Structures are given as C-alpha cells and as structure tokens.
C-alpha cells in the first residue's frame, strides 16, 4: 500500500500526459474510412454506428435483424456517414464472417476499423440452471463472435494499419453474482486480445473497451432474439441496477479508438475495485456477500434454464411476458447493452 501511495500519482500523471499527446497529435481522421460494426442492430453497436457516422465514415452494419439495420443505416446517413450498407450475418459462423468481410472489401476496397459489439449477457445463478444448452450459446457469442470476425478481417487490417475495437466488460476481472459464464467469456476475450496485441506488433491497433452497468435493452429486462422477440425470463434483482447512458459509452469508445487508445473504461471509478481485487480480495468478496445478504433470498426464473420463481413475496419485475417461449436451439446474435 505504501508503494501504491507513492506510485499512483506518478502513474496518473503519465496517463494524463499520454492522453493529452494522443488528443493533440494522433487523432485519426475517419472521413472516408471503412468501419465494420457487428451487433449494430441495437444498444452499444447502434450508438457506435452513429458516432462513426458523425465522423463521416463509411459504415458496414452487421447483425441478424436486417430490417432494424436498415433503419439504423438511414439515421447514420442523416448524421453524416458517407455511406452505410447493411449485411445480415451471424458472427458465430465463420462462413458468415468471411462473407461480410469479403463483401466489404469488394465494395469499398479496404477495412480500417472492425468494431466487435455483438455480445450476450445473463443474470441467472449457475446452480439454478436446469438446461445447460444455453452454455455454448453464451460462450459462442461472447468469445467466438469476436474471434471469427477478427480472424477474417486481420489481413485487411494489416494492409490499412487499421484497428480492432472490442466491447468487453468490467466483469472480466470484477466478480459479480449471476454472471459466471458471461464473466468467464469476457475474461477469455480480453486475454485473447492482449496476446494478439503483442503478436501484431503495432501493425494493427487494438482498443479494449470495458464497461459496468450500461442502461439499455439488457438492464430493461429484454432479450432481443433472432426475430426481435422480447423474452426469456421474469426476475427480481436483489439490487436494482441503474446504468450510465449507452450514448456516452459509445462516444468514449469511438473517441478512444480514433486517438489510438489501448483501453477505454466507463465509468472510470470501477478501477477502485481493482485495487481491492489485487491487494485485498477477501474484503471485496466479503463486501459483495454483505450487500447481497441484506436483500433477502434469490428469486430468478429463466425459461428453459432456471427454476420457477418461488410463490409469495413482493417485488417489481424488470420484464414480464405473457407467453414466454423456449430458448431456440441455434445460436443467437444481438447486442448486449448492460
């Protein structure tokens, strides 16, 4: 702690100088550049598209919901995008990723930024799961849904000295209940890109964006499936979560990517927990247990995955559906805005 007390001000000063230098001298002009955005049909991916549009980039919007993408592309052009094309594709399928990257190169002749925004969260306790078929879906979207587009686009990013932007989460190092599989996937994702950063040796830039709670579809209790159906569960959180605006996080991501930042964090005060995680992990775990134990018993239900909600008790559900449907067997791709 003594070493930290002396070194922390110096580290903050160095980071501030680096940010100031990048802001003044290394901001990338995106006018006419080509940006592929996966998970662009809602949430963080949608707002990132609008931020790049304001910088007059050429956009390639990728997601499963083509009709939704068309509406977003129209708004992006209105905001200033030079052009915006939409491609319906599933990022957990390598062939689909190869198709939308090849179509981008055939149309524009290059790829400058690849934004991996497709992601999927969950809020169930692991020991309540009764249907493990959701496990590979979560891992596929949160890990392979980033790796496949990067694998296919990397040769073109080498040619343009481009950049990969990753939508990660603070849960990759901060243990939070109900997010075991999501946290594991994000931890694997961050480690993959940290290693890739060394392998590409500055020929391709990598920006890892991490966030805490972000207000959006996920925090409003919605799962956006292949056809845009709202479902999967009714639940009552022990702690009602409120998140910062998606728009601000998207603005920080695009600004950081154009400056060449290696990391974008929102909100930045989450780093306080990192100090506890490194120097006093037992205090952090004890604090979480104390916080959760004061809000009664767990109450969760996820159709096809979790146990039913216990009878009795009160509480306000985040989302209710009149006719819940079973989780489809195939992969699901959409944006997580948690």
């Amino acid at each position: 702690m003594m070493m930290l007390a002396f070194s922390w001000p110096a580290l903050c000063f160095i980071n501030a100088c680096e940010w100031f230098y990048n802001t003044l001298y290394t901001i990338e002009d995106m006018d006419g550049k080509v940006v592929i955005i996966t998970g662009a049909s809602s949430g963080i991916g949608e707002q990132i598209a609008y931020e790049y549009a304001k910088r007059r980039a050429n956009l390639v919007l990728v997601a499963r919901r083509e009709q939704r993408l068309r509406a977003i592309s129209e708004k992006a052009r209105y905001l200033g995008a030079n052009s915006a094309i939409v491609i319906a594709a599933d990022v957990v399928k390598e062939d689909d990723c190869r198709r939308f990257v090849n179509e981008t190169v055939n149309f524009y002749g290059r790829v400058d930024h690849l934004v991996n925004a497709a992601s999927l969260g969950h809020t169930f306790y692991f020991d309540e799961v009764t249907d493990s078929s959701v496990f590979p879906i979560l891992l596929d979207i949160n890990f392979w849904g980033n790796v496949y587009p990067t694998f296919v686009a990397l040769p073109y990013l080498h040619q343009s000295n481009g950049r990969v932007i990753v939508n990660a989460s603070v849960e990759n190092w901060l243990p939070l209940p109900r997010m075991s599989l999501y946290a594991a996937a994000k931890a694997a994702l961050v480690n993959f890109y940290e290693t890739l950063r060394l392998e590409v040796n500055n020929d391709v830039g990598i920006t890892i964006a991490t966030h805490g709670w972000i207000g959006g579809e996920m925090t409003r209790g919605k799962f956006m499936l292949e056809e845009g159906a709202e479902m999967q569960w009714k639940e009552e959180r022990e702690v009602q979560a409120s998140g910062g605006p998606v728009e601000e996080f998207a603005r920080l991501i695009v600004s950081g990517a154009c400056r060449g930042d290696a990391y974008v964090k929102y909100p930045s005060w989450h780093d306080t927990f990192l100090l506890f995680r490194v120097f006093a992990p037992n205090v952090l775990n004890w604090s979480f247990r104390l916080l959760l134990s004061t809000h009664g018993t767990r109450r969760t239900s996820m159709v096809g995955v979790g146990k039913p909600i216990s009878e009795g008790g009160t509480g306000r559900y985040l989302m209710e559906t009149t006719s819940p449907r079973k989780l489809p067997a195939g992969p699901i791709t959409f944006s997580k805005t948690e």
Side-chain angles (χ1 to χ4, degrees):
M1 294 301 291
M2 289 290 293
M3 291 177 61
L4 182 63
F6 284 104
S7 62
W8 190 258
L11 292 173
C12 291
F13 177 75
I14 293 172
N15 287 334
C17 291
E18 183 181 15
W19 177 88
F20 185 71
Y21 175 82
N22 289 338
T23 301
L24 287 181
Y25 300 107
T26 63
I27 294 181
E28 182 178 1
D29 183 7
M30 296 306 300
D31 191 355
K33 297 290 184 70
V34 179
V35 182
I36 299 176
I37 305 172
T38 68
S41 61
S42 63
I44 294 173
E46 176 183 352
Q47 296 303 322
I48 288 175
Y50 297 151
E51 291 299 321
Y52 274 109
K54 295 173 185 176
R55 296 170 184 261
R56 301 190 59 79
N58 296 305
L59 304 180
V60 179
L61 308 179
V62 180
R64 292 288 292 268
R65 293 180 285 174
E66 185 174 358
Q67 288 301 115
R68 174 66 178 155
L69 288 177
R70 294 190 183 282
I72 293 170
S73 68
E74 290 296 325
K75 183 174 180 180
R77 281 191 285 266
Y78 174 78
L79 290 173
N82 282 326
S83 66
I85 63 174
V86 302
I87 302 176
D90 189 340
V91 292
V92 302
K93 297 178 180 177
E94 184 181 345
D95 289 342
D96 275 21
C97 295
R98 195 171 299 278
R99 174 172 56 84
F100 70 70
V101 171
N102 288 339
E103 288 185 18
T104 300
V105 174
N106 291 336
F107 190 83
Y108 290 115
R110 60 186 295 159
V111 178
D112 295 287
H113 283 197
L114 169 66
V115 182
N116 291 309
S119 186
L120 170 64
H122 67 82
T123 58
F124 55 77
Y125 288 99
F126 187 76
D127 61 1
E128 291 183 336
V129 173
T130 60
D131 182 357
S132 61
S133 63
V134 73
F135 294 171
I137 296 174
L138 288 163
L139 272 294
D140 282 348
I141 294 173
N142 289 313
F143 185 73
W144 296 114
N146 288 260
V147 173
Y148 285 146
T150 303
F151 173 68
V152 176
L154 201 56
Y156 304 105
L157 293 170
H158 272 290
Q159 294 174 9
S160 63
N161 293 116
R163 177 165 294 272
V164 180
I165 295 90
V166 187
N167 176 31
S169 176
V170 72
E171 283 86 4
N172 80 85
W173 59 264
L174 180 64
L176 293 177
R178 297 188 176 190
M179 294 186 175
S180 53
L181 294 171
Y182 175 74
K186 292 299 184 181
L189 189 66
V190 170
N191 279 279
F192 167 76
Y193 281 106
E194 293 285 16
T195 305
L196 183 63
R197 194 199 304 276
L198 298 176
E199 294 180 359
V200 298
N201 194 28
N202 294 326
D203 290 339
V204 176
I206 295 177
T207 296
I208 300 175
T210 58
H211 63 82
W213 284 104
I214 299 293
E217 288 176 349
M218 190 67 186
T219 53
R220 289 194 294 267
K222 295 182 180 180
F223 257 171
M224 303 306 294
L225 300 186
E226 181 178 348
E227 292 81 23
E230 299 176 11
M231 43 177 291
Q232 287 289 48
W233 70 82
K234 299 177 183 180
E235 70 173 24
E236 177 187 6
R237 297 186 195 272
E238 287 85 353
V239 182
Q240 294 296 325
S242 60
V246 181
E247 294 84 354
E248 184 175 355
F249 182 52
R251 179 182 57 80
L252 290 175
I253 289 177
V254 176
S255 296
C258 293
R259 279 197 307 267
D261 292 349
Y263 305 97
V264 173
K265 300 176 182 180
Y266 180 82
S268 58
W269 55 262
H270 276 117
D271 285 352
T272 304
F273 293 111
L274 182 58
L275 297 178
F276 284 93
R277 177 65 185 269
V278 174
F279 294 101
N282 289 333
V283 173
L284 185 62
N285 293 334
W286 174 81
S287 300
F288 275 120
R289 291 193 183 98
L290 180 64
L291 178 65
L292 297 175
S293 65
T294 59
H295 289 81
T297 59
R298 302 184 297 186
R299 293 164 55 81
T300 306
S301 176
M302 182 170 181
V303 177
V305 178
K307 299 175 182 178
I309 295 176
S310 58
E311 295 295 331
T314 60
R316 183 173 63 86
Y317 297 131
L318 292 183
M319 189 272 290
E320 295 188 2
T321 57
T322 55
S323 57
R325 296 169 283 254
K326 185 175 175 59
L327 192 71
I332 308 167
T333 303
F334 54 87
S335 294
K336 166 193 173 280
T337 55
E338 186 174 77

